[in-house]
Amino acid sequence: DVPYSNQQAKFRGGWLILPHGRGDGRLRVKIPHGVALPGRVMAVTLSLGTVSIVCATGVAESVPTTAPVVGVDLGVNTIACASDGHTAVVISGRGMKAIQQYRNKMLGQIKSRISKTKSGSRLNKKLQRRKRKHLAKSSRKQRDFCHKTTSAIAASFPGVSVVVGRAFHESASKMSRRNAQQVSQACT
């Protein structure tokens, strides 16, 4: 997955233009005729064969006031804080950060070895398989961590409506590169 911020993604004449590589390298994706975005673009993610566009509509969903409500705030070091006004649940995100740090470390090592091999060779193919296997394993670990987080919140507050705070905020664009990477890789 390749994430793009709202400053990087441009819409011009029915085309989504994404910066790619150095210099004038750009990806152009045709937006189908008649498709209108529901609000302001917050992020664009480019995956294999798909483009995901996250929009902020500015319209808050109404929550029924008869049922108890739990507010959840997402973060990086503390992956989720949930509270109903009386009790609070705080779930540490250090395990998720460790998974991501190990994934990035191993990818760096594998990519370094791949760059020293001849394309199409037996060792190159073996390293590519190892890279895909490692990415799949870390993806499963992250999904499991997110599932355990949501299950812990659901078990702590049974039968309530949940309101989740915004994962994006304006100060994210003013962060340093390292912090911005942590925020973009956070489990949200």
Side-chain angles (χ1 to χ4, degrees):
D1 293 355
V2 181
Y4 296 95
S5 68
N6 57 349
Q7 283 103 8
Q8 294 172 324
K10 307 283 185 214
F11 291 94
R12 301 280 187 266
W15 291 87
L16 171 63
I17 301 169
L18 303 170
H20 195 70
R22 296 182 181 169
D24 276 346
R26 287 183 168 72
L27 293 175
R28 296 179 68 207
V29 179
K30 180 75 171 160
I31 302 295
H33 185 68
V35 173
L37 298 177
R40 182 172 167 254
V41 174
M42 296 302 290
V44 175
T45 304
L46 182 65
S47 298
L48 186 64
T50 60
V51 177
S52 303
I53 302 173
V54 178
C55 295
T57 59
V59 178
E61 295 180 19
S62 62
V63 178
T65 57
T66 57
V69 177
V70 172
V72 178
D73 185 32
L74 304 175
V76 177
N77 291 330
T78 303
I79 200 147
C81 295
S83 176
D84 62 354
H86 302 291
T87 59
V89 174
V90 178
I91 299 171
S92 174
R94 295 193 182 278
M96 179 64 79
K97 284 177 70 173
I99 293 168
Q100 292 167 353
Q101 185 177 17
Y102 181 67
R103 180 197 65 202
N104 292 339
K105 177 183 175 181
M106 291 303 293
L107 278 180
Q109 290 175 358
I110 294 169
K111 284 181 179 181
S112 173
R113 289 194 58 200
I114 288 174
S115 69
K116 296 173 185 172
T117 62
K118 186 175 179 181
S119 180
S121 68
R122 185 178 295 177
L123 180 58
N124 185 283
K125 290 176 184 176
K126 181 180 175 183
L127 290 170
Q128 293 288 352
R129 280 193 306 270
R130 183 175 172 196
K131 183 174 96 171
R132 284 192 301 272
K133 184 178 176 183
H134 181 70
L135 282 172
K137 184 176 181 179
S138 62
S139 177
R140 287 192 304 269
K141 283 182 178 181
Q142 287 177 328
R143 190 175 61 218
D144 183 55
F145 194 90
C146 290
H147 174 68
K148 287 179 180 176
T149 299
T150 55
S151 296
I153 292 173
S156 300
F157 304 102
V160 297
S161 298
V162 177
V163 178
V164 180
R166 286 179 48 181
F168 300 101
H169 47 82
E170 285 72 30
S171 63
S173 63
K174 299 172 186 162
M175 291 181 177
S176 65
R177 282 178 48 189
R178 181 175 180 165
N179 291 340
Q181 183 181 16
Q182 286 180 345
V183 169
S184 70
Q185 291 180 352
C187 175
T188 53

